[in-house]
Amino acid sequence: MIRIVCVVGARPNFVKIAPLVRHIKEEWSDTFEATLVHTGQHYDEKLSQVFFEELHIPQPDVNLGVGSGTATRQIAEIMQRFEEVLLWKKPDRVVVVGDVNSTLAAALATEKMGIPLAHVEAGLRSFDRAMPEETNRVLTDRLSDLLFATEESAVQNLLNEGVEKDRIFWVGNLMIDALISHAQEAERSTILNQMNVAPRQYALVTLHRPSNVDTPEGIGRILRILSGVEKQTRVLFPIHPRTRGRMEEFGLASEIRALQNLTLCEPVGYLDFIRLMRDAKMVLTDSGGIQEETTALGIPCLTLRENTERPVTITEGTNLLTGTDPERVLAAVIDILEGRGKRGKIPTLWDGQAARRIVRVLQGQSTRREPSQEVPLSTTLPRS
Ligand code: UDP
């Protein structure tokens, strides 16, 4: 038995871990003993529990219950509590996903215990150190001995940083595995009726990056953008608790509620959200994962940021970086409404098979077999 511990903490992590845990359970339960640890970074029902239910993720074996707090406090708490789990479980390997504080904290504790670490979604770089996730990505990659990449730019970034080629595996995208395997279930969602919208008659918005929502100026710009967009088309905005909190704090909540053609709601569950994306005319976002999901679904996406760590969504997909200048965003919205939206193609290996490829590597690594043909980049096995 190969003992692995998989760590999740926040909404995008749940989506990414689901296909991996499911594949191990369905096809490799004789080979792997997997323990699922939830750090408790996101504990809100709408950001956590609903994903376990809808994505059929088994309840976590351990919940570290870390809750909210400053990044430092969260990371320190997770490290301490996770160390206990490592001492108890003595895994052969830890698997972390994404770029949240839980990812880095678990990676640090794992490294301190001398346990091999795999990072899923390695190598993505915005080259913007003002973004807290960027530090999490860079440091987690430095601590990992197996690095699983979603796109070619990530492979190149890791090579440029001096990571040995034989530790990098270009395997595709777990988030797209989840999307593909839940697309049919999402057909049954009634969210469009509940929100009283028709397909292709609305823009879907999500925003939660600190650069957009943590200052009154940032939120002010977002408000100007939204008030321009809602004059052109109906807007649905499932609002992240962080964004809602900041709006209240800065006294701007009433202004957004006053927008007639914009519907604010709580974050929606995964299946409802897939359905909302699939039927949207366009998506405006600063989320990492949603840039990828819209590319996979072929829906035009405007990213309200100056950079992206997922450039394949721009070069091959439907994503356009607009920044947050209201005039620029509005011009891009009008382009889409008038039929000039980007049409993209699905990036290489975003085919729903990433979990399969990752498990082959994890399995091959521990039993020192030759790597599978399906793992395209690496030609030799990682050194132990
Ligand atoms: N998502 C969701 N409901 C929402 C908003 C997002 O289910 O109301 C899903 C979305 O489909 C994607 C994930 O949450 O799978 C993205 O999470 P988030 O934007 O919080 O994280 P990021 O990708 O920016 O790290």
Side-chain angles (χ1 to χ4, degrees):
M1 275 288 188
I2 303 169
R3 281 165 304 171
I4 60 168
V5 169
C6 301
V7 185
V8 290
R11 175 167 74 181
N13 293 169
F14 310 137
V15 180
K16 289 163 200 164
I17 212 70
L20 188 63
V21 170
R22 180 162 142 194
H23 182 61
I24 290 176
K25 199 165 147 221
E26 284 174 1
E27 296 191 28
W28 293 93
S29 55
D30 296 346
T31 309
F32 289 97
E33 184 190 302
T35 300
L36 185 60
V37 176
H38 188 333
T39 64
Q41 185 183 333
H42 278 173
Y43 47 86
D44 191 308
E45 199 273 332
K46 293 199 160 55
L47 294 187
S48 176
Q49 187 52 32
V50 67
F51 288 85
F52 282 81
E53 285 158 17
E54 294 191 350
L55 287 147
H56 311 292
I57 309 170
Q59 284 308 306
D61 300 283
V62 184
N63 192 322
L64 303 179
V66 68
S68 48
T70 63
T72 304
R73 193 174 287 268
Q74 251 179 1
I75 290 169
E77 284 286 338
I78 294 169
M79 283 182 71
Q80 285 191 17
R81 298 181 195 186
F82 189 54
E83 182 184 47
E84 302 282 319
V85 178
L86 295 176
L87 286 167
W88 168 44
K89 285 286 171 183
K90 300 192 172 46
D92 298 306
R93 176 174 300 284
V94 171
V95 179
V96 294
V97 296
D99 56 17
V100 299
N101 290 338
S102 297
T103 312
L104 174 61
L108 282 165
T110 302
E111 205 271 341
K112 291 291 165 208
M113 299 278 293
I115 298 167
L117 176 72
H119 184 205
V120 176
E121 211 183 79
L124 294 180
R125 298 287 182 268
S126 65
F127 302 102
D128 175 4
R129 280 293 179 98
M131 210 182 163
E133 295 86 352
E134 182 73 356
T135 311
N136 294 344
R137 294 182 196 113
V138 170
L139 296 179
T140 303
D141 286 342
R142 294 304 282 230
L143 300 171
S144 301
D145 72 312
L146 292 182
L147 299 104
F148 293 112
T150 51
E151 60 170 90
E152 197 173 4
S153 76
V155 173
Q156 200 52 54
N157 292 334
L158 292 169
L159 292 173
N160 293 346
E161 289 171 18
V163 178
E164 297 90 334
K165 187 175 175 209
D166 60 7
R167 295 199 282 128
I168 307 168
F169 296 85
W170 183 13
V171 290
N173 194 327
L174 282 182
M175 202 166 224
I176 305 306
D177 284 21
L179 183 66
I180 291 172
S181 62
H182 290 84
Q184 273 215 298
E185 258 180 280
E187 292 297 303
R188 292 201 291 276
S189 156
T190 58
I191 188 77
L192 266 66
N193 283 342
Q194 291 171 43
M195 303 285 264
N196 196 20
V197 285
R200 305 283 171 255
Q201 301 298 312
Y202 62 92
L204 177 65
V205 176
T206 80
L207 294 162
H208 67 282
R209 292 262 101 75
S211 59
N212 280 332
V213 307
D214 272 8
T215 59
E217 298 74 44
I219 298 249
R221 268 197 308 275
I222 296 298
L223 264 171
R224 284 202 298 284
I225 290 170
L226 295 180
S227 68
V229 179
E230 65 108 43
K231 291 190 181 65
Q232 302 294 330
T233 184
R234 178 88 188 272
V235 177
L236 303 184
F237 187 5
I239 189 166
H240 194 282
R242 175 190 190 101
T243 310
R244 185 184 285 276
R246 295 291 192 236
M247 281 187 174
E248 310 273 349
E249 195 180 313
F250 304 143
L252 295 168
S254 55
E255 275 187 54
I256 193 162
R257 283 197 205 98
L259 299 175
Q260 296 284 314
N261 209 16
L262 179 145
T263 306
L264 270 186
C265 65
E266 294 284 305
V268 300
Y270 181 64
L271 298 174
D272 284 344
F273 197 76
I274 296 182
R275 187 61 195 270
L276 283 178
M277 278 191 290
R278 198 210 67 176
D279 281 339
K281 182 78 182 166
M282 71 190 85
V283 176
L284 286 82
T285 193
D286 58 14
S287 156
I290 294 168
Q291 295 174 58
E292 298 183 332
E293 289 169 333
T294 45
T295 274
L297 291 166
I299 301 297
C301 177
L302 302 180
T303 295
L304 275 56
R305 288 174 42 190
E306 303 301 332
N307 51 55
T308 179
E309 60 289 335
R310 293 160 158 91
V312 76
T313 61
I314 309 263
T315 53
E316 295 186 22
T318 55
N319 191 16
L320 184 69
L321 272 186
T322 60
T324 52
D325 170 42
E327 274 178 34
R328 185 155 173 229
V329 178
L330 205 59
V333 166
I334 290 169
D335 274 347
I336 296 171
L337 290 173
E338 294 180 350
R340 295 187 298 274
K342 259 182 101 177
R343 278 176 243 286
K345 62 174 182 149
I346 308 236
T348 308
L349 297 178
W350 289 18
D351 57 358
Q353 302 297 318
R356 196 171 286 278
R357 296 189 188 99
I358 290 170
V359 171
R360 275 217 181 83
V361 177
L362 293 176
Q363 193 254 359
Q365 156 74 7
S366 302
T367 56
R368 306 191 195 285
R369 285 209 206 132
E370 281 308 300
S372 155
Q373 292 296 320
E374 281 180 58
V375 179
L377 180 81
S378 198
T379 48
T380 47
L381 269 178
R383 287 185 293 276
S384 56

